[in-house]
Amino acid sequence: MLSMKNISKVYQTEKVQTHALRDFNLEVAEGEFIAVTGPSGSGKTTFLNIAGMLEPHTGGQYMLDGIDVGKLSDNQTADLRNQKIGFIFQGFNLIPDLNLFENIEVPLRYAGIKSAERKRRIVECLEKVGLASRAKHLPQQLSGGQQQRVAIARALAGKPRFLLADEPTGNLDSLMARQVMELLESINEEGATIIMVTHDAELARRAPRNIQVVDGQLADFTLYQNKTIEAVANATAMEV
Amino acid sequence: MLEIKPILRSLMRSKAGAAMLIFQIIITTAIVSNAAFIINDRMNYLSQETGYPEDEIFSFSVMTVGEVDNLSTLLEGTEQLIRDIPGVINANLINNVPVSGGGSASGFGSQPASERGPDTRAAYFTADENIFETLGVTISEGRNFRSDEVIVGSTMNDVPQVVIVSKGFADTHFPEGNGLGQTIYFGNAPMQIIGIVDKMKGPWLKDSAVDSVVVMPNARASMRQKFIVRTEADQRDIIMRDIESVLLEESNKRVVTYMRSMDAAKANYNASDILMVRMMTVIICVIVLVTALGIFGMTVFNISKRTKQIGTRRALGARKSAILRYFLVENTIICIVSAAASYASSLFLGEYMMSEFSLPALDNSYIVVTIVCVFAISLLSVLFPALKAANIAPSIATRSI
Ligand SMILES: Nc1ncnc2c1ncn2[C@@H]1O[C@H](COP(=O)(O)OP(=O)(O)OP(=O)(O)O)[C@@H](O)[C@H]1O
Ligand SMILES: [Mg+2]
């Protein structure tokens, strides 16, 4: 469903040119759960942003469900994000002066979904993340793990087939991180394709497919054995 | 899809900023609507036509000092001397100068004052048959004074038998329009109206009865005699400059003072109103600017505070237009919430101004128009920062913490 061919991304600041991605090739099939690891600054967020159409790539071709993303207008990418993609951020990114219900409602309103249907979906998603009783609470009244679950509910409400998560457990302790991971796994089992960037080797190990970004390029490992991942992680750490 | 409900919720949860804007909008509307009303009121007044050819007329006073054999003869000679100056159209002795801010007024009734009937207030001028040409006004009904009807002398004891009035006076005192030929009383002395002047203003332009004027044929000479002169427009300044020496050549027992053109006299009389209009205009400009800047600043602040939120909304599928709309709708809600309070505070300020400065009552339409204008200005002030907000990159959502 996702295909990247020779994707490159260059950040041009006044003096410096940063090649955040180069010759980046990746194929993702429907229903996969991919963990992305790699050293800091290697281009993981850049990759995720391009995959989620949060920023344009500077070279190569990115096809999402057969659509050449590079050729879309700003409005079309906004609509496509809304329809196909659910985002989960490290900092949760809940809107502080909207309660949980209203936060989850945000993407549904942009999708033009009618009020009754919105309500039905919000309740359903809140139930799924176990926070149905807190619908009227404001984000700051919740713990970090709860907030991230709300953010996941918000990402799910639009029924996207594609979930992108940038260090979703980065701000959580290990217990909460495990709960969030379990939630993502169950979502994946229901059919959604998930790409998750993480620094947590243990969580990465739980994902069926691991990829590693090193220096803006992909080192593709399809590993199911925990030891190997650690070995690779150590090797790249030494390299850098 | 206007998102009114969540915007309203969000506003309710961060009231301070919104409350400040609402307060500012209320104050602005109250001050601007009242100031605009006062400006308009004053402009209407200032733009009224006097009907006199102001740029052709000037006046001055001649103070006679020491003993003179016959003041009347002397001053009538002076009058004739002025008329003979090239460029002068006509000149006349007069008790008070129209539009100058100084004059005499009295009640004129249909019966002697001793019978205490209703009367009509009018400014009165004493002059002779030359005054109408000198003032550039025309007698539209009836006739001018004959010279034998003019009482010459230096006292008020002889009251003339005839009188010419302005249409303003005639129509007020005789609402049926049959003033010509009627008799009116100045004190107990009867005078017959023999002519009506279509348009003539008294000395006080701000007077509600400014159009009510009576002219009595009385060439009264006094030790401080006012003269009014009409010239060709392009000759007036030269004649005003040279006339004093001509008058002193005739007699050196005099001082010429208060030389003033009619337009200068009018401007002088209106100076405070012109100042008021300017001040009000400046006040309106300043307060509108301050409000616009306030709304602008507030929006810029709100947007910088909400950068990550805006990026997140974009990531969740908001089009640029949805972000723009968010801030415009938010501002519209604030304006609508302010509207009723703005209306009330404008009326309140209007009543205060009315009782404190004897101004006319504030017209509703001014409040409504001001509310609409303030709304437009506030939308404009929001537009620029909101456009910038719409251009916040969605990648902010993952890039900032
Ligand atoms: N807006 C930008 N302008 C310039 N350079 C940028 C910009 N965003 C990212 N970069 C650079 O691109 C490179 C890749 O950044 P990216 O954020 O993708 O790394 P990352 O793998 O997500 O790192 P981390 O694990 O620390 O989150 C880095 O060198 C970074 O400094
Ligand atoms: Mg990153």
Side-chain angles (χ1 to χ4, degrees), chain A residues 11 45-46 49 53-55 74-76 78-79 81-82 85 87 89 91-93 95-99 102-103 105-107 109-110 112 138 154 166 171, chain B residues 1-7 9-10 13-14 306 308-309 311-323 326 393-401:
Chain A
Y11 289 110
T45 297
T46 307
N49 277 359
M53 296 173 287
L54 294 184
E55 50 191 311
D74 192 79
N75 280 347
Q76 286 170 320
D79 294 349
R81 277 198 296 272
N82 185 256
I85 299 171
F87 285 99
F89 306 95
F92 322 136
N93 293 22
I95 293 165
D97 38 39
L98 295 182
N99 65 29
E102 291 155 356
N103 258 287
E105 198 176 23
V106 169
R109 279 181 179 270
Y110 293 136
L138 290 174
R154 181 177 66 185
D166 195 358
N171 288 5
Chain B
M1 192 200 73
L2 284 176
E3 272 199 282
I4 290 168
K5 240 173 83 183
I7 292 175
R9 291 272 175 74
S10 178
R13 289 183 189 126
S14 49
R306 288 191 259 181
K308 188 173 173 191
Q309 177 189 140
T312 304
R313 285 176 180 273
R314 293 277 283 134
L316 296 177
R319 292 180 173 196
K320 284 183 178 179
S321 54
I323 303 294
Y326 183 97
S395 58
I396 287 286
T398 53
R399 292 294 185 192
S400 66
I401 296 128

Side-chain angles (χ1 to χ4, degrees), chain B residues 196-215:
Chain B
I196 292 176
V197 176
D198 216 16
K199 187 174 185 181
M200 200 170 174
K201 301 266 182 193
W204 310 283
L205 288 179
K206 271 173 228 176
D207 188 357
S208 58
V210 62
D211 291 309
S212 182
V213 177
V214 168
V215 182

Side-chain angles (χ1 to χ4, degrees), chain A residues 71-124:
Chain A
K71 294 201 169 107
L72 299 179
S73 71
D74 192 79
N75 280 347
Q76 286 170 320
T77 49
D79 294 349
L80 209 59
R81 277 198 296 272
N82 185 256
Q83 291 157 17
K84 291 192 186 290
I85 299 171
F87 285 99
I88 300 159
F89 306 95
Q90 178 174 359
F92 322 136
N93 293 22
L94 296 174
I95 293 165
D97 38 39
L98 295 182
N99 65 29
L100 306 192
F101 185 97
E102 291 155 356
N103 258 287
I104 299 171
E105 198 176 23
V106 169
L108 301 181
R109 279 181 179 270
Y110 293 136
I113 294 168
K114 293 266 177 317
S115 161
E117 170 69 4
R118 287 204 301 264
K119 189 171 177 190
R120 201 186 60 72
R121 288 214 207 167
I122 294 165
V123 170
E124 184 189 308

